[in-house]
Amino acid sequence: MNKVAFVGLGAMGMPMALNLLKTGHSVIGFDLRSEPMEALVKAGGSSTTSAADAAKEADVLMLMVVNAAQARAVLFDGGALNALPEGGIVLLTATCPPIEVSVIAHEVEAAGRRFVDAPVSGGTAGAKAGSLSMMVACSDALFAELGPVLSGVGGKLFHVGQKAGQGSAVKVVNQLLCGVHIAAAAEALALAKQVGVEPAMALEILGGSAAASWMLNDRGPRMLEAEPEVTSAIDIFVKDLGLVLEAGRGAKAATPLAAVAHQFFLSTSGRGDGLVDDSQVIRAYDLLNGV
C-alpha cells in the first residue's frame, strides 16, 4: 500500500483517486472545491485543507491539474514539494508542454525528490473504468517501484522513455489526433444536417462504417444534444491543440490540420462556450452554415 496525496479531484481526478482507494492505496485528497473532497472521504479516503498538508506524509504526490502553471503553483508556491518527504515521488499526470515538464522535473530533483512524467488519455470514461492509457517517462527502477500506483489508475501502461518530457511529447501527438478527430466528426455531422440527412441516422451509419473513429462514436451522440453533460471542456482543447502547435513550431514540423481544428475550438470558446462539452465545437460549424 502506498500513501498517495492526490491534488485535483476534477472530472478525471476524482475517479482516478477512487480507483486508487479500490486497489488498496491510502489516498488523501485536495481540491479547491469541497464537494469532491467530501465524496472522497465518504469513499474511504481522507482530505485536508492544502496540497502541502496532503503531501506531508505521502509516498507519492499525484497532480491531476489543468496545466503546468497549476502544477508549479501546487509544488512551489503552495509548498507541497517542500512538504513531501525526502525521496518522495511527484507524479504529474496533466497535459503540459514537454519542455516545461523537463524544467519542473529538474527543480523537483534538485530538491531531493523524484519525478515521473505520466500524462493520461482515455477521458472521464477511462478514468472511471481504470482503463486510462498512461505515457510514462522515468527510470526503469522508478517505473517498477511505482507500478502498483500506476496500475491503480491506468489499464494501459507505456514506458515511453527515461527522461521527463518524453511522456508529455507522446501525449501532445495523441491530442493532435483527438482534437482533429472531434473537429472532423463535428464537420461531418454539420454537413449531414445541411444536406438533409437526419443527424442520428448519419451518426449510426458513420459510426459503423470505415469512417468511424473513437471520437465520432464517443462525442457524436453528444453533438446531437443541445446541452450535454461536460466530460471534457472546449477550453481543454484550446489548451491542448495550442501545445500541439507549440511543439510543431519547436520541432519545425508542419501541423496544418491541428491549426485549423484549434481555430474552431478557439472560436467556440471566444463566443463564451469555453466551459461546455468539447463536442459542442459543432456549434462553430452550425454558425458558419447559418444554423
Side-chain angles (χ1 to χ4, degrees):
M1 181 177 70
N2 288 279
K3 295 181 180 178
V4 181
F6 200 108
V7 178
L9 300 171
M12 289 184 66
M14 185 65 191
M16 290 166 69
L18 292 176
N19 281 331
L20 285 171
L21 284 174
K22 292 174 185 175
T23 51
H25 301 287
S26 171
V27 180
I28 180 169
F30 174 73
D31 194 273
L32 295 177
R33 298 164 301 135
S34 61
E35 293 86 352
M37 291 197 290
E38 292 168 1
L40 182 66
V41 171
K42 288 181 181 179
S46 58
S47 66
T48 187
T49 56
S50 71
D53 192 54
K56 281 194 298 188
E57 297 182 1
D59 301 309
V60 180
L61 171 59
M62 194 165 181
L63 305 180
M64 189 57 187
V65 292
V66 173
N67 52 32
Q70 285 193 2
R72 282 192 160 278
V74 170
L75 289 170
F76 307 117
D77 301 337
L81 181 61
N82 286 335
L84 186 68
E86 286 280 336
I89 301 168
V90 174
L91 177 59
L92 180 60
T93 60
T95 302
C96 303
I99 293 176
E100 182 66 16
V101 170
S102 180
V103 172
I104 292 174
H106 177 75
E107 295 178 46
V108 167
E109 289 163 359
R113 281 75 174 177
R114 295 175 291 168
F115 185 90
V116 176
D117 171 26
V120 298
S121 180
T124 304
K128 290 178 179 178
S131 62
L132 293 170
S133 294
M134 301 191 78
M135 293 142 273
V136 187
C138 63
S139 69
D140 292 338
L142 192 47
F143 183 74
E145 179 183 343
L146 202 56
V149 172
L150 298 174
S151 297
V153 295
K156 302 172 186 175
L157 305 181
F158 299 96
H159 192 193
V160 301
Q162 303 284 318
K163 297 179 180 178
Q166 290 177 303
S168 294
V170 177
K171 180 62 186 295
V172 164
V173 175
N174 182 84
Q175 293 308 91
L176 185 158
L177 282 173
C178 288
V180 169
H181 284 178
I182 294 173
E187 185 168 313
L189 293 178
L191 174 62
K193 287 189 284 188
Q194 286 298 101
V195 298
V197 179
E198 204 279 316
M201 178 180 290
L203 179 59
E204 182 179 359
I205 294 168
L206 296 173
S209 74
S213 69
W214 191 93
M215 282 299 187
L216 173 67
N217 287 322
D218 183 76
R219 299 313 203 264
R222 300 206 295 274
M223 290 178 184
L224 306 187
E225 300 178 30
E227 296 292 340
E229 178 185 357
V230 180
T231 62
S232 174
I234 287 287
D235 278 345
I236 294 296
F237 274 97
V238 172
K239 172 183 74 78
D240 288 0
L241 285 174
L243 296 181
V244 170
L245 300 180
E246 181 182 328
R249 284 192 297 270
K252 296 186 178 178
T255 54
L257 293 179
V260 173
H262 185 246
Q263 289 298 306
F264 278 94
F265 284 100
L266 191 61
S267 66
T268 306
S269 179
R271 290 192 307 276
D273 290 337
L275 299 181
V276 305
D277 190 71
D278 58 26
S279 63
Q280 296 309 294
V281 71
I282 195 172
R283 296 177 185 179
Y285 288 96
D286 287 339
L287 284 173
L288 282 175
N289 293 333
V291 177

